[in-house]
Amino acid sequence: MTIVLFTIFSFTGCRRRDSIPIDNVFRFKEILTVDGLQRTYTLNLPPTYYTSSDFSLVIAMHGGGGNADQFETTSKLTDKANTAGFIVVYPEGVQSDGLLKARTWNAGGCCDYARDHNIDDVNFIRQLINHLISTYKINPKRVYATGHSNGGMLSYRLACEMPEKIAAIATSSCTMVVKQPCNPSRPVPVLHMHSVKDEHVPYKGGVGISNAYFPPVDSVLNVWSAINACSNPAQVLVNDNRYKYTKWSDCEDNATIQYYLTQDGGHGWPGGLPGGPNSDTPSTVINANDLLWDFFQQYQLP
């Protein structure tokens, strides 16, 4: 495994990442070679990084056709990370060889180039976590995965295949499309956010705009309820003209499953910006960044 470092300096000068340098650096664009592929990512450290320790890490994965810069901008997650004091990393899917050079993740049954070329994105994220934990002041028990659309789908796959690394997941505008049975070694808390107006990945399941079939979100979360051994069935706690909030509780290891289904928005990151010029307007009745951080803080690996 080879690491090539491209650093964005706040000033100039050298520094160590585990102590207070003369010139603090908070943002990095790096390349990690995994399985012979050069994998890229952007890392952001919070303002308190060089004076504190024991940081949580949130892995934030873009949707199909997106990239690190786009997802950072449209999600506004770096603003939340800087305010709340956690580290966020934006890895990038492998670029296709087509005209659009679209980046996708291999989440199992989706999507496109990454799926068709059997890219091992689970191993990429595993190696990324190992590298970041060994390099930065990260608590290995407090690593979380989140993602939009195709990135959310990969979050589900990580929960199935790498639960020893991921304490909890939070997903938006997606569903689970794993091809192998999901048998994690431990319960994994799940937060899911979706819009009733999402036509790209319909929450009721079916064929979206991309002509791919997606399983219904309710059925996916019921599967996770069984995996997490939740003794309470789904309870609807809020159901009004803004959103429907459903929770599965009394699960093994106190893992919960929470589901926000908004009446507004579409295929977008709630509380964020549209993903592009022709993208849906995100929901404004919930804020994904606030919800996921409140959710993640409840959980850590045993």
Side-chain angles (χ1 to χ4, degrees):
M1 181 174 66
T2 304
I3 301 168
V4 181
L5 174 64
F6 294 92
T7 307
I8 300 177
F9 288 92
S10 300
F11 304 94
T12 58
C14 299
R15 56 90 181 94
R16 291 177 56 190
R17 302 180 200 178
D18 58 352
S19 63
I20 302 176
I22 296 174
D23 300 314
N24 293 347
V25 184
F26 296 93
R27 290 182 59 76
F28 307 91
K29 285 185 177 291
E30 299 183 338
I31 296 174
L32 186 67
T33 301
V34 179
D35 298 327
L37 299 173
Q38 290 191 331
R39 306 303 302 265
T40 51
Y41 61 92
T42 299
L43 182 77
N44 184 84
L45 306 178
T48 57
Y49 178 78
Y50 292 103
T51 56
S52 302
S53 60
D54 200 39
F55 289 92
S56 298
L57 172 67
V58 174
I59 304 164
M61 293 170 286
H62 61 78
N67 57 50
D69 290 344
Q70 167 270 316
F71 190 45
E72 181 180 32
T73 298
T74 58
S75 70
K76 303 180 182 179
L77 188 55
T78 291
D79 293 341
K80 180 67 177 182
N82 286 340
T83 301
F86 60 86
I87 297 173
V88 60
V89 62
Y90 301 91
E92 294 188 308
V94 170
Q95 210 169 45
S96 78
D97 53 6
L99 290 176
L100 297 178
K101 304 294 182 183
R103 295 185 182 276
T104 54
W105 303 103
N106 180 7
C110 186
C111 290
D112 301 328
Y113 184 90
R115 174 201 58 203
D116 297 344
H117 289 76
N118 199 29
I119 302 299
D120 193 347
D121 282 317
V122 174
N123 188 46
F124 166 44
I125 300 299
R126 178 183 289 110
Q127 297 304 326
L128 177 62
I129 292 171
N130 291 342
H131 165 58
L132 296 179
I133 287 175
S134 68
T135 308
Y136 298 92
K137 296 181 289 184
I138 294 168
N139 184 337
K141 293 185 177 182
R142 300 189 66 84
V143 176
Y144 310 95
T146 188
H148 172 67
S149 193
N150 186 201
M153 296 174 195
L154 182 59
S155 296
Y156 274 116
R157 185 170 185 181
L158 295 177
C160 292
E161 300 184 24
M162 206 169 62
E164 77 283 358
K165 294 284 190 183
I166 303 292
I169 66 169
T171 65
S172 165
S173 306
C174 71
T175 187
M176 187 167 72
V177 292
V178 295
K179 288 299 187 181
Q180 302 298 323
C182 183
N183 293 309
S185 57
R186 51 169 286 273
V188 180
V190 175
L191 167 65
H192 189 104
M193 297 163 283
H194 222 111
S195 167
V196 297
K197 297 181 178 180
D198 190 336
E199 297 181 349
H200 291 259
V201 183
Y203 80 99
K204 290 184 177 181
V207 177
I209 289 178
S210 64
N211 292 322
Y213 172 80
F214 298 109
V217 173
D218 281 342
S219 66
V220 168
L221 298 181
N222 283 327
V223 166
W224 275 101
S225 175
I227 290 172
N228 290 351
C230 301
S231 58
N232 275 351
Q235 295 179 300
V236 178
L237 302 181
V238 178
N239 191 7
D240 55 28
N241 61 358
R242 300 171 301 151
Y243 62 83
K244 180 179 179 182
Y245 170 48
T246 308
K247 183 176 182 180
W248 292 254
S249 58
D250 287 338
C251 312
E252 188 176 342
D253 294 344
N254 295 316
T256 61
I257 301 165
Q258 301 183 29
Y259 178 26
Y260 288 83
L261 181 64
T262 67
Q263 297 296 323
D264 71 335
H267 193 71
W269 186 257
L273 301 173
N278 300 313
S279 299
D280 292 349
T281 299
S283 169
T284 60
V285 298
I286 63 172
N287 184 289
N289 298 336
D290 292 342
L291 289 175
L292 69 82
W293 183 236
D294 288 345
F295 184 72
F296 287 162
Q297 289 183 92
Q298 301 174 55
Y299 303 105
Q300 67 176 28
L301 291 172

